[in-house]
Amino acid sequence: MVQEIRNFINNEYVDGVSTFDDINPVDGSLIGNVHTADAAVVDKAVKAARTALEGPWGRMSTPERVNLLRKIADRIDERFEDLLQAEIADTGKPEGLARAVDVARASANFRSFADTVASAGLDSYLTEPANGDNALMYAVRKPLGVVGVIVPWNLPLLLLTWKVAPALATGNTVVVKPSEETPASATLLGEIMAEAGLPEGVYNVVHGYGDTGAHITSHPDVDGITFTGESKTGSIIMKTVSDRVLPVSFELGGKNAALVFDDCNVEEAVAGLTRSLYTNSGQVCMCTERVYIQRGIFDEVVDGLIESAKKLKLGAPFAEGTDFGPLISAKHREKVQSFCDLAEKNGAETLLGGGVPDMGAELNGGSWFEPTLWKGLAHEDEVMRKEVFGPVAGLIPFDTEEEAIHLANDTEYGLCASIWTQNLERAHRVAPKMNVGLSWVNTWYLRDLRAPFGGSGLSGIGREGGQHSFDFYTEPVNVAIKLG
C-alpha cells in the first residue's frame, strides 16, 4: 500500500506544497508519496521549535528531560517492528543488519545520552588572586537553541537519533530534514516521541530536496546546524551560515584506508576487511575503500578477500541468509558504475564484480550492484582519491611501515583507518599516526557511545558522542561570584 509521508510539526502531520515518490531500492516499487516542505512550511517548523523552547520545554529540569528520553527509548522498543519495516522499505538493507544495528541503536542512543546528561558536570574554580578578590567561578550549560538536523540516507534512523538524543537531552528543540531517499523513519519517530509525551514543537520534521535543507540553514531563527552527508554539501552549508557565524557540527565523507601488515592474523584480517568493505553494501562513511597490504602476504589476502566476498548473499531483505542489499537508488548505482568504468580505464584488473548482477525478474528493478575488488591501480589514481560510497575497494601492495603510513595519510579525508597486525608495539606506534578521528586495530566499527566520533579535513568538523556532543549542543556560561 502506498503511504502518505507528511511533514511533522507541533506533534501533527502537515501537508506539503507538492509530493515526490519514495522508491523501494530492492525492486523499484513505489513506497509512498512524500510531502515537500517549502519556505513557509520550514518557517512554521522553526516557529514551533522556538515556541517550545521558550515554553514548558525550556523550563523543564534535567531530571525531567532524562526521564522523558528514557520513556522515548522504551517506546522505540515497543514499536521496534514498525521502525524496522520503515527502515528496510526505504533502504533495502538486510533484515539482520537493520534489526541489529539501525533500530537497536535508536533506543540505545536515547538511553546513552540520558545517562550522560544525568551525570554530567562542569568546571568550578576557587579563584584567589593576589589582590584578595577571591571568587567562586562555576560554569552552567545553556541549550544552543533551535537546531537544524540534516541526516543522510545510509543509516537514517541511527544517525538521526545520534543527533536528536543529545540535542533534546541538553534542552534544545530541533527541525529535522531526512534525506529525500529515506523519509519514513524520521516521520514515524515523531509519532513515537509524541506518544512518549514529548511536548509539541520540540521535534519537527520537514521533507524535501536540497531546497528544503537550504531553507533550514538560511533561516534567521535557527541557532546551529548539525549535518551528516557529502563533503561538498557540508561546504555549501558552511558558506550559507558563515555570515551569521553559526556553530556547525559536520560528519562528512571518507576515503578510509586499511593497513594489513605481514604479521597479522590473515584469517581475522580477511573477515574484518570483508565487513569493512561490504557492510550496508559499502554505504557507510566508515567503510574501507583503500586496502594497503604488505607485499609478502598480498596474494594470500587478495585471494581470501575474493573468496569471502563470493560468499555474500545478495537478496531481498527478509530472505533467509541475505547479508548484502541494493544500493540506495538507480542514480547512486550510476555513480558507482562510473567509478568502476574509470578504474578499468586507469588499468585496474577487476578481480570481482564491477557491474550489475542478474537478480531475477522480481528484483531486477532494484538498484543492485556487485561486491567489487580491483588491483593494479596506482595510489594516485582518481578512484583511489575520491569517495565512491559503494561496495568497491582498490588493493595495493606496500613494503615498509613508513610507506604504509604515508599512503594511508595521503588523502584529503580523515575519518577512520584500520590496522591489522599482531605486533603490539607496531599497533601502538602506527594507530596514533593515522590522521583520522577513529583508528582501529584488528577490528572495525567497534564503538563506545561515550567515545569521540568524527573526522578532520573533508571528513568533518567537531566530535559527537557522550560529553563531546554537549560541546556543540550547549553554550557554557561562566558565573563569577565575588566572595568578599
Side-chain angles (χ1 to χ4, degrees), residues 1-8 12-22 30-36 86 90 183-188 191 205 207:
M1 189 174 86
V2 177
Q3 307 173 58
E4 292 292 316
I5 302 174
R6 294 179 170 85
N7 305 290
F8 188 83
E12 295 180 344
Y13 289 112
V14 175
D15 287 346
V17 295
S18 60
T19 63
F20 60 92
D21 293 343
D22 185 17
L30 178 65
I31 301 169
N33 300 310
V34 188
H35 286 245
T36 306
D90 269 353
S185 58
T187 309
L188 181 55
E191 180 182 306
V205 180
H207 295 295

Side-chain angles (χ1 to χ4, degrees), residues 138-410:
Y138 66 93
V140 295
R141 280 196 181 94
K142 294 174 62 177
L144 187 59
V146 177
V147 180
V149 179
I150 302 175
V151 290
W153 47 257
N154 60 326
L155 299 164
L157 182 62
L158 187 159
L159 292 173
L160 172 63
T161 54
W162 179 240
K163 295 176 182 295
V164 168
L168 301 192
T170 48
N172 298 277
T173 58
V174 297
V175 177
V176 171
K177 194 199 93 65
S179 168
E180 62 274 12
E181 303 284 2
T182 52
S185 58
T187 309
L188 181 55
L189 182 64
E191 180 182 306
I192 289 169
M193 291 201 290
E195 291 170 351
L198 190 71
E200 294 179 1
V202 177
Y203 175 87
N204 307 278
V205 180
V206 293
H207 295 295
Y209 292 86
D211 288 349
T212 303
H215 293 322
I216 296 173
T217 59
S218 62
H219 198 287
D221 211 20
V222 169
D223 300 302
I225 302 291
T226 178
F227 168 74
T228 296
E230 291 186 357
S231 302
K232 182 179 179 181
T233 306
S235 177
I236 292 170
I237 293 173
M238 284 192 73
K239 292 173 183 176
T240 300
V241 305
S242 62
D243 287 344
R244 295 179 57 213
V245 200
L246 286 191
V248 295
S249 176
F250 288 163
E251 198 273 285
L252 306 176
K255 190 69 177 178
N256 307 307
L259 306 184
V260 187
F261 290 95
D262 59 11
D263 55 20
C264 75
N265 180 313
V266 172
E267 184 177 345
E268 290 181 1
V270 167
L273 287 167
T274 301
R275 284 185 63 234
S276 74
L277 295 174
Y278 300 125
T279 292
N280 202 31
S281 304
Q283 300 170 122
V284 179
C285 57
M286 294 172 287
C287 276
T288 303
E289 291 189 9
R290 300 181 290 143
V291 184
Y292 301 104
I293 306 164
Q294 200 150 22
R295 198 174 301 274
I297 59 168
F298 183 81
D299 291 339
E300 182 182 3
V301 172
V302 169
D303 290 344
L305 288 173
I306 293 171
E307 291 306 309
S308 182
K310 285 180 178 178
K311 295 176 183 176
L312 294 171
K313 183 178 179 180
L314 285 67
F318 294 100
E320 186 176 354
T322 295
D323 52 15
F324 191 96
L327 299 181
I328 190 63
S329 66
K331 181 179 178 181
H332 187 56
R333 182 172 66 180
E334 290 175 4
K335 173 190 172 183
V336 175
Q337 183 67 71
S338 71
F339 274 101
C340 290
D341 296 342
L342 179 59
E344 292 197 346
K345 183 179 178 181
N346 289 160
E349 178 185 348
T350 300
L351 303 170
L352 184 76
V356 178
D358 182 1
M359 297 298 296
E362 291 186 3
L363 301 182
N364 273 341
S367 303
W368 298 91
F369 201 84
E370 298 169 315
T372 299
L373 293 171
W374 305 302
K375 73 174 183 179
L377 287 166
H379 169 72
E380 296 76 18
D381 285 334
E382 185 176 354
V383 292
M384 296 296 289
R385 311 293 296 178
K386 291 186 177 180
E387 182 182 39
V388 181
F389 213 66
V392 304
L395 314 176
I396 293 179
F398 70 86
D399 293 302
T400 67
E401 181 179 304
E402 292 74 19
E403 180 189 4
I405 293 170
H406 169 74
L407 291 170
N409 287 337
D410 184 25

Side-chain angles (χ1 to χ4, degrees), residues 27-87:
D27 57 12
S29 62
L30 178 65
I31 301 169
N33 300 310
V34 188
H35 286 245
T36 306
D38 63 358
V41 175
V42 170
D43 183 61
K44 182 177 181 178
V46 174
K47 286 178 177 175
R50 180 61 62 187
T51 299
L53 190 69
E54 295 172 353
W57 175 252
R59 296 189 291 272
M60 191 176 287
S61 68
T62 297
E64 289 173 321
R65 289 198 307 271
V66 166
N67 184 51
L68 183 52
L69 259 64
R70 289 175 176 150
K71 287 182 179 179
I72 291 171
D74 291 342
R75 189 61 182 148
I76 288 172
D77 288 343
E78 290 166 1
R79 297 199 60 182
F80 191 101
E81 296 301 321
D82 295 333
L83 285 164
L84 182 72
Q85 293 288 340
E87 202 76 340

